[in-house]
Amino acid sequence: TVSEPKVILKADWSQIFRGETVTLSCQIQGGGGTQWTYEWRQNWSNIPPTSSEYRIDKVKDDHSGDYSCQGRSGFLLTQWSDAFRLSVSRKPQPVLSVSPSWLSPGASVTLSCEVKPPSAGWRFFWYKAKKYGSYSYELLPGSSNGTQQNSYIIHGQKHTAGYVCRAGRGESAFYSDYSEPSFVWSAAFPPAASLRVNPDRVQLFRSESVSLSCEGNSTEWRVKRFPETGHLSDFNCSTWGTMTGSSCIIKPFWSDGGVFWCESGSGEFSNAVNITVQDKDDGIILQSPVHPVTEGDPVTLSCRTKQQKLLSDVSFYHNNKLLQNDGREELKISAVSKSDEGFYSCEHSGQKSPQSWMSVQGEEASNI
């Protein structure tokens, strides 16, 4: 007895993406040693293959549809199989996340690559973004054949860096798109360059001007920004300011804040500074260190108006938890420790400042 044919997708995953190689198999049970010639049809129209497998290289949208098969041997003809629905989806773009996003020099960084929508069979490839403007990527060690795990740990990271990932699967090496770059930021000064902010603050009023200057051993330094929105379209200084030499001048009523750093033509990086914008001219800002504070050093935080008036009766918050509200003007830490690192903000008369990150580094890092 010959059973009704059945169309099977020869893959360990059910979701198919544009560009993949697809093989459909027509399976007929029974019939002894019958030699079958196969007929295929897509959306009720006959298609050429006569073998038991139908291979589609670099599948496209118009390959989506219902596929059926039947077997023929002399005068013996099977029924048409039930239709198998092949759906072709657009090539996925993974989402890369980095933890922590702000690091202490020498800390480990974990990259995680997620393919959306989820699907099986992926191997993951990890890259360091050498030059963001031209998207030059360098494979990370141990990544040439991909990793089965969708995470990758980088040990001993010291300075600001950007990373991307992509996923691949199948014998014919189908790859997803590259993820958008994700960054790990370091406020510590690397040997190559430093970013200086004038006025020397990380919180600014929208109506203020600010100058960001690259200081280092290269004439090709450019100020870069990763905006709060996370979109890379307004990536260069020329989009939201004026580049003069190695300084970027941002005029009043500039756009939202973000993380700023200097990048050379060869892909070297300075420290990163996270600048936050206060939208209201009658609002308040937190005065906090722009650059990392060394363990054991004193640090003072204060709350100020646009006219830089020092406010009293202020509440201070660390990582959104109330830290001090005893009426004092300033938050003073006599000897800062690693546990003091984090996000700070202040509140006065019902008005709250934006929050800013204060980085704490060990004494050995301050001598790098």
Side-chain angles (χ1 to χ4, degrees):
T1 302
V2 177
S3 65
E4 181 179 326
K6 187 175 183 180
V7 177
I8 302 294
L9 173 65
K10 294 188 68 175
D12 294 329
W13 47 85
S14 58
Q15 186 161 23
I16 302 299
F17 297 100
R18 294 176 194 165
E20 284 197 272
T21 295
V22 173
T23 300
L24 302 177
S25 175
C26 185
Q27 297 185 358
I28 303 175
Q29 302 296 328
T34 304
Q35 298 296 312
W36 297 104
T37 299
Y38 296 85
E39 297 180 13
W40 290 85
R41 65 185 181 190
Q42 176 192 4
N43 298 333
W44 309 105
S45 296
N46 286 0
I47 48 181
T50 58
S51 65
S52 62
E53 292 188 349
Y54 178 30
R55 178 185 170 101
I56 309 171
D57 292 315
K58 295 184 179 178
V59 68
K60 303 175 183 177
D61 288 345
D62 57 11
H63 288 121
S64 295
D66 293 327
Y67 288 80
S68 302
C69 69
Q70 69 173 2
R72 180 189 297 273
S73 179
F75 295 104
L76 181 61
L77 185 66
T78 70
Q79 295 179 318
W80 282 100
S81 69
D82 289 337
F84 172 84
R85 174 64 57 86
L86 178 66
S87 298
V88 179
S89 305
R90 63 179 298 176
K91 182 182 285 193
Q93 182 179 39
V95 176
L96 178 65
S97 58
V98 176
S99 179
S101 55
W102 285 89
L103 60 78
S104 301
S108 295
V109 177
T110 300
L111 310 180
S112 299
C113 193
E114 182 182 3
V115 177
K116 295 183 177 181
S119 186
W122 295 113
R123 297 184 68 83
F124 297 89
F125 298 82
W126 311 91
Y127 304 83
K128 187 174 184 179
K130 297 293 287 184
K131 290 177 68 177
Y132 306 125
S134 58
Y135 292 92
S136 173
Y137 302 142
E138 178 182 280
L139 266 171
L140 293 175
S143 180
S144 57
N145 295 319
T147 63
Q148 289 186 335
Q149 296 77 23
N150 71 334
S151 61
Y152 184 98
I153 298 177
I154 300 168
H155 298 285
Q157 180 69 33
K158 293 183 178 180
H159 304 305
T160 296
Y163 299 95
V164 297
C165 71
R166 66 172 175 170
R169 68 183 185 185
E171 294 180 2
S172 55
F174 167 78
Y175 294 103
S176 71
D177 288 334
Y178 288 99
S179 69
E180 291 287 346
S182 288
F183 297 85
V184 56
W185 311 109
S186 172
F189 290 108
S194 62
L195 173 63
R196 302 291 179 180
V197 182
N198 186 20
D200 193 25
R201 289 188 267 120
V202 291
Q203 292 193 6
L204 299 163
F205 288 91
R206 187 173 295 279
S207 57
E208 288 187 287
S209 295
V210 61
S211 171
L212 302 111
S213 300
C214 302
E215 301 176 4
N217 55 9
S218 172
T219 58
E220 300 177 353
W221 292 110
R222 290 291 181 265
V223 179
K224 297 285 191 177
R225 180 183 80 141
F226 190 78
E228 293 172 351
T229 59
H231 298 297
L232 300 183
S233 55
D234 58 346
F235 206 46
N236 293 299
C237 176
S238 58
T239 306
W240 31 265
T242 303
M243 196 75 194
T244 304
S246 60
S247 297
C248 180
I249 311 299
I250 303 174
K251 298 177 180 179
F253 304 107
W254 60 314
S255 61
D256 294 334
V259 180
F260 293 78
W261 73 98
C262 300
E263 178 188 330
S264 74
S266 58
E268 296 172 297
F269 299 93
S270 74
N271 57 298
V273 177
N274 189 8
I275 294 178
T276 308
V277 175
Q278 169 61 273
D279 289 320
K280 301 176 181 177
D281 271 354
D282 59 352
I284 59 175
I285 60 172
L286 176 74
Q287 185 89 34
S288 62
V290 175
H291 303 299
V293 181
T294 302
E295 283 185 292
D297 284 356
V299 66
T300 299
L301 307 181
S302 62
C303 206
R304 297 175 183 267
T305 64
K306 184 182 177 184
Q307 291 74 31
Q308 290 300 293
K309 176 185 176 183
L310 181 64
L311 298 172
S312 59
D313 195 17
V314 173
S315 299
F316 292 93
Y317 294 84
H318 178 217
N319 293 330
N320 294 317
K321 293 182 179 180
L322 182 63
L323 188 63
Q324 175 181 297
N325 67 339
D326 56 8
R328 283 179 286 175
E329 294 179 334
E330 298 173 322
L331 172 62
K332 293 188 176 182
I333 304 173
S334 58
V336 74
S337 67
K338 196 63 185 173
S339 62
D340 295 315
E341 188 171 73
F343 286 99
Y344 287 82
S345 62
C346 64
E347 186 175 14
H348 172 77
S349 298
Q351 287 191 313
K352 199 166 185 178
S353 75
Q355 63 176 5
S356 289
W357 176 268
M358 186 177 77
S359 180
V360 178
Q361 64 183 7
E363 291 185 22
E364 69 282 355
S366 66
N367 296 322
I368 294 178

